[in-house]
Amino acid sequence: MSYRQEVMEESINLIKSFENDSLFQAEIKGETPDEDLSIHMDSAESLAIGYGLDLLLNSREQLISIFNQANEQTGEEFDYEELRLFERIADYRRLTETRARETFVRQNTNIRLPGLRYANAVFHIVANDKFRMVEQIVNNGVDTDYYSLLGIREKSAIFSMAYNTGYGLFYEKVNGRIDFNRPYNSLIYLREYLDNKDSENIEERKTAIEARTRVWYEIRYNSCQEAWNRRNGGEGLAKRRYVEGDIFQLYDEETITPGEASWILDKLRDESITRVNPDDRRTYRSIESIATVFEENFYAPDSVERHRRLNDPMKGIADIIKDLDKRLKMVLCYLSNTAENLQERFYPDGEWYEVREYEENTSSKDCPVLEDYDLSQARIEEGREKIYLSANDAIYQELRNRFENNYGSDYRGYLEAKTGKEIEIEYYQESEDNTALLNTLLENYHDNFDISRQD
């Protein structure tokens, strides 16, 4: 099976864009490339041709095999013998100064692939081989077949990272060799996500969502030490990791539930996750703060958009937080007989909120939004005794207190009273955490809640 059936087209285009953007631009514009098909320096240490075929890293035997396959597939011929390719590669290896290497490349532009079709053939031969690493990355050192649990987004992100760096972003090196028994956090949390993602148990589902959030962070913000330490080549690598995090995807905007949004927000604000910024030597706590520093000092969405090959708009951390806030369930709120400043009560920090009109027998998310509604003057009006407010921490806290005061630990009694259905208590016995329970209740029975201040 071809790797192209296993990954997103966006991932393939992303790799092409970062490996040889001028060649890729010519391809998507339908132009005929010329010098873009010639040898070029991928970095100060690398010599490549086409879409990033490394002429130094690959052995003579590997290169001959790749070119022979491409010659056969396309009917075109890249005559590496006539071009004295391997002699010239040896000449390049002997050069130690960057300026001398740049001069060498300018003087040898006749070493070029026959055409764009040939360049794509070489790319697909190499990519098909590189894709085999995806299974090795997730399965090495363990007995579980994690590869079979991967979705197309996970495969696509790992594929792009492996194409660029091999195993280096997933396993530590010991004495210069990859140690498959010492995975990095990105792989540890990916496996934790895969272990729990299909569970019906609320705590295990929460574990899965938090683990995926951590993987997304590791890829997008924490995997490029070259950028954080401002080393040569760090810019391009950081941009690539940033976009690969988007391909991996933090959450699906079409299917995310309010409970999942709450779990992701909690993880983004978890202060046990820390990173030292070498620029100011300060320790930043939480993914949110680390991501903010990264986007302010290194790369934000607008700086990588040119290289991005996804259709949906890229969001920075601030917009992600705002979007997740909006996805928390609406909570029914009775209005007081007298004016009550609900904004001061529940949203004192000026955070986002939404007010919706109450409609009987209608889910809050389907009720109409009340535009320009003044929460500071909320009171009973003719025909309006109830409104919906978007839930935040203060509202959750009040709901939790009300639950504890009125029902104690009688989860079954509460749910049966609210839903009119017989509830299987075993499902909830696994968690004594009222907060987790209430998140579940809010997700499923949000229209049954009310918050009021008795006057």
Side-chain angles (χ1 to χ4, degrees):
M1 180 181 294
S2 169
Y3 80 98
R4 282 181 278 186
Q5 297 173 270
E6 299 290 315
V7 301
M8 300 163 61
E9 188 69 24
E10 290 90 341
S11 177
I12 298 171
N13 291 339
L14 169 68
I15 294 171
K16 286 183 173 182
S17 173
F18 274 101
E19 296 295 342
N20 191 336
D21 190 51
S22 57
L23 179 58
F24 183 65
Q25 293 299 321
E27 178 177 347
I28 61 179
K29 293 175 183 177
E31 299 174 353
T32 302
D34 187 9
E35 66 273 6
D36 299 325
L37 294 166
S38 298
I39 58 171
H40 57 272
M41 294 173 64
D42 247 2
S43 66
E45 293 79 29
S46 174
L47 182 67
I49 195 167
Y51 282 120
L53 176 61
D54 197 314
L55 300 175
L56 303 183
L57 184 63
N58 289 285
S59 69
R60 177 190 180 102
E61 291 72 23
Q62 288 172 318
L63 292 172
I64 287 175
S65 175
I66 291 168
F67 293 133
N68 284 347
Q69 289 180 68
N71 289 347
E72 183 178 349
Q73 289 178 16
T74 64
E76 301 176 90
E77 184 175 11
F78 177 68
D79 195 338
Y80 46 83
E81 295 289 358
E82 183 177 328
L83 290 168
R84 296 172 40 245
L85 175 65
F86 300 106
E87 294 177 39
R88 297 191 187 186
I89 292 174
D91 292 339
Y92 184 85
R93 287 182 187 276
R94 285 191 284 269
L95 302 174
T96 57
E97 295 183 359
T98 301
R99 182 174 297 180
R101 290 186 165 190
E102 291 172 345
T103 301
F104 177 92
V105 168
R106 286 196 300 271
Q107 292 174 345
N108 287 276
T109 55
N110 65 312
I111 305 177
R112 66 164 60 100
L113 301 180
L116 183 56
R117 180 165 169 262
Y118 193 95
N120 273 312
V122 169
F123 173 77
H124 292 310
I125 291 167
V126 174
N128 215 47
D129 185 62
K130 292 275 191 181
F131 182 73
R132 296 188 183 97
M133 296 180 69
V134 176
E135 181 173 358
Q136 296 167 357
I137 285 169
V138 296
N139 284 352
N140 271 328
V142 293
D143 295 328
T144 304
D145 180 13
Y146 284 108
Y147 178 79
S148 66
L149 302 175
L150 294 174
I152 191 170
R153 282 190 172 273
E154 293 90 47
K155 289 179 182 177
S156 299
I158 296 170
F159 169 55
S160 178
M161 296 165 76
Y163 191 101
N164 181 228
T165 65
Y167 298 105
L169 291 173
F170 302 96
Y171 293 95
E172 293 183 37
K173 280 187 176 182
V174 178
N175 297 323
R177 297 173 64 88
I178 293 292
D179 186 341
F180 291 116
N181 293 312
R182 302 182 70 171
Y184 283 133
N185 282 335
S186 56
L187 184 54
I188 291 172
Y189 287 105
L190 176 63
R191 288 170 175 168
E192 186 172 45
Y193 163 73
L194 296 172
D195 281 334
N196 294 282
K197 70 183 181 73
D198 296 322
S199 175
E200 294 183 359
N201 177 279
I202 185 172
E203 288 301 317
E204 291 176 356
R205 286 197 293 124
K206 180 180 180 182
T207 296
I209 295 301
E210 291 178 337
R212 186 178 187 91
T213 303
R214 184 62 185 265
V215 179
W216 174 82
Y217 156 73
E218 294 292 338
I219 296 173
R220 194 180 194 192
Y221 297 107
N222 202 40
S223 62
C224 191
Q225 309 308 316
E226 295 87 349
W228 283 99
N229 293 296
R230 300 194 181 277
R231 297 175 189 158
N232 289 336
E235 292 186 10
L237 290 173
K239 290 178 183 179
R240 185 164 182 159
R241 300 292 94 83
Y242 199 86
V243 183
E244 286 161 347
D246 252 29
I247 286 180
F248 179 81
Q249 192 177 55
L250 178 58
Y251 59 90
D252 187 333
E253 295 188 2
E254 299 297 321
T255 62
I256 185 174
T257 68
E260 291 169 346
S262 176
W263 295 334
I264 294 172
L265 280 170
D266 286 345
K267 197 63 182 176
L268 293 177
R269 291 164 173 163
D270 180 358
E271 294 189 355
S272 69
I273 301 171
T274 63
R275 179 170 186 108
V276 175
N277 177 16
D279 280 358
D280 57 17
R281 299 188 180 183
R282 288 179 55 190
T283 298
Y284 291 85
R285 303 182 183 279
S286 83
I287 294 173
E288 181 180 11
S289 64
I290 296 166
T292 300
V293 170
F294 185 91
E295 292 177 359
E296 287 177 351
N297 295 280
F298 299 98
Y299 303 104
D302 58 349
S303 64
V304 298
E305 195 69 39
R306 178 172 175 269
H307 291 281
R308 191 170 179 270
R309 301 300 167 192
L310 295 177
N311 294 323
D312 54 307
M314 177 178 272
K315 293 186 178 74
I317 191 64
D319 287 335
I320 289 171
I321 296 288
K322 183 177 181 180
D323 183 64
L324 288 168
D325 277 335
K326 288 184 177 181
R327 293 175 186 278
L328 296 179
K329 278 291 186 190
M330 308 297 293
V331 177
L332 179 62
C333 179
Y334 280 87
L335 299 182
S336 145
N337 285 319
T338 56
E340 177 187 356
N341 192 336
L342 294 180
Q343 184 166 352
E344 181 176 311
R345 179 180 173 196
F346 287 125
Y347 305 95
D349 298 325
E351 60 189 295
W352 179 92
Y353 68 86
E354 188 173 63
V355 183
R356 290 181 181 263
E357 179 73 84
Y358 169 77
E359 290 187 357
E360 191 172 359
N361 299 322
T362 302
S363 174
S364 60
K365 65 184 176 60
D366 297 322
C367 290
V369 175
L370 294 173
E371 302 288 352
D372 302 320
Y373 191 81
D374 188 356
L375 278 180
S376 66
Q377 297 297 319
R379 70 182 75 204
I380 290 179
E381 299 175 11
E382 184 178 354
R384 180 185 295 149
E385 294 185 353
K386 309 169 187 176
I387 59 173
Y388 287 112
L389 287 178
S390 48
N392 68 356
D393 290 342
I395 292 177
Y396 279 127
Q397 183 64 42
E398 184 156 341
L399 281 172
R400 181 168 61 190
N401 292 340
R402 176 170 292 220
F403 177 82
E404 291 174 345
N405 291 337
N406 295 343
Y407 293 92
S409 59
D410 185 11
Y411 301 157
R412 178 189 294 182
Y414 181 82
L415 288 172
E416 289 182 347
K418 289 298 183 183
T419 65
K421 299 178 181 179
E422 185 175 350
I423 302 299
E424 175 56 59
I425 194 67
E426 182 179 355
Y427 178 75
Y428 294 99
Q429 281 180 335
E430 299 188 19
S431 171
E432 296 299 325
D433 184 351
N434 282 338
T435 304
L437 173 65
L438 277 164
N439 282 339
T440 304
L441 299 183
L442 281 167
E443 180 179 335
N444 294 293
Y445 308 112
H446 58 92
D447 287 327
N448 292 312
F449 288 98
D450 65 271
I451 301 174
S452 61
R453 175 171 291 178
Q454 303 300 321
D455 295 311

